Amino acid sequence: PNENDGATVYRLRVPADVLIHYDTTTVLLRKALDQEVRATDRVLEMGIGQAALLSLFIAKKKKIIPSGVDLSPARVDSSVVTASLNNIRANFWVSNLFSKVDGAFDVIFFNPPYVDTESGRKLNLSKRLSLESDAAWDGGVGGTDIIQQFMNDSARHLVSGGKLIVGVQDFYVGKDTIEQIAREAGYYIHRVITGKLNPSMVYILRKQ
């Protein structure tokens, strides 16, 4: 595509043929990353989505080289193209959660699928958002299946003193639920980031 025909999101140029999805959680995660990521941090984004907006935003802002994975090869491809278009160095590859991830990171962040299966299908989310599959939103029966798996598998990929950053809409998954899942996975809520008129919440988690 003609690179001049694309959109600009978070001061990033996005190819014209890339359909961008971002929600209130994406907006709040951007705020959280700006506050929590240091220039010396090794950062991994779980589920980069189309164009890896958050990873590339924080790469540009903090002068880091982020890593990021996604279940979808198409989303990884679009993210690689977007990074190149913006002259940003980043490492993106296909992985089902941590299945293809090696090493440990100072910060791992995730805007997980947290809509419960029944609600998402009633809302016809995949069709409404032109998604290739339900995987981008489907969090399972209670909306927490992916979050639980992510937290349970994350510990060996987080350095001592590192942090998980997880964003969800409170309507679907409340604070008490996040606190319970975190505790069972060996984490505690260190900090909660909110935004005015924003229904999402971002949790900064540390190891117990």
Side-chain angles (χ1 to χ4, degrees):
N2 184 332
E3 62 184 32
N4 295 320
D5 293 335
T8 300
V9 184
Y10 295 161
R11 297 185 179 179
L12 298 166
R13 295 163 65 197
V14 179
D17 61 345
V18 173
L19 181 63
I20 295 298
H21 297 113
Y22 61 97
D23 58 7
T24 56
T25 307
T26 307
V27 172
L28 201 57
L29 274 167
R30 180 187 176 215
K31 174 183 175 182
L33 292 169
D34 196 13
Q35 294 177 2
E36 294 288 333
V37 172
R38 302 165 301 179
T40 55
D41 283 341
R42 188 178 180 200
V43 177
L44 172 70
E45 179 176 9
M46 186 62 60
I48 55 178
Q50 293 281 20
L53 293 177
L54 290 172
S55 280
L56 297 180
F57 159 75
I58 204 63
K60 193 172 183 179
K61 185 72 182 287
K62 304 288 183 170
K63 310 299 184 188
I64 65 171
I65 303 174
S67 296
V69 299
D70 202 286
L71 181 64
S72 164
R75 292 197 287 269
V76 171
D77 287 346
S78 77
S79 298
V80 170
V81 171
T82 306
S84 177
L85 182 62
N86 289 275
N87 298 311
I88 295 174
R89 293 178 61 195
N91 301 308
F92 299 137
W93 67 96
V94 176
S95 180
N96 184 358
L97 294 178
F98 291 100
S99 64
K100 301 294 183 182
V101 175
D102 293 319
F105 300 84
D106 300 287
V107 176
I108 303 174
F109 70 95
F110 194 16
N111 181 356
Y114 50 73
V115 179
D116 64 273
T117 304
E118 183 179 358
S119 295
R121 288 179 177 167
K122 284 182 178 177
L123 292 168
N124 205 13
L125 285 182
S126 295
K127 184 176 181 180
R128 286 174 55 190
L129 298 175
S130 301
L131 298 171
E132 60 188 280
S133 75
D134 296 349
W137 59 262
D138 192 351
V141 176
T144 59
D145 289 359
I146 305 301
I147 297 171
Q148 285 179 309
Q149 186 179 349
F150 166 74
M151 288 194 192
N152 288 336
D153 294 346
S154 64
R156 64 191 178 95
H157 295 286
L158 199 65
V159 302
S160 177
K163 65 190 82 168
L164 295 186
I165 302 178
V166 181
V168 297
Q169 281 193 14
D170 192 58
F171 173 80
Y172 290 104
V173 181
K175 183 179 179 181
D176 289 346
T177 300
I178 291 292
E179 192 167 28
Q180 179 181 346
I181 296 171
R183 184 170 58 250
E184 291 173 353
Y187 293 95
Y188 70 95
I189 297 176
H190 171 71
R191 183 182 175 212
V192 181
I193 296 176
T194 59
K196 187 176 181 180
L197 302 179
N198 190 318
S200 296
M201 300 180 77
V202 169
Y203 298 91
I204 314 300
L205 306 175
R206 291 189 180 273
K207 292 180 181 178
Q208 291 177 358

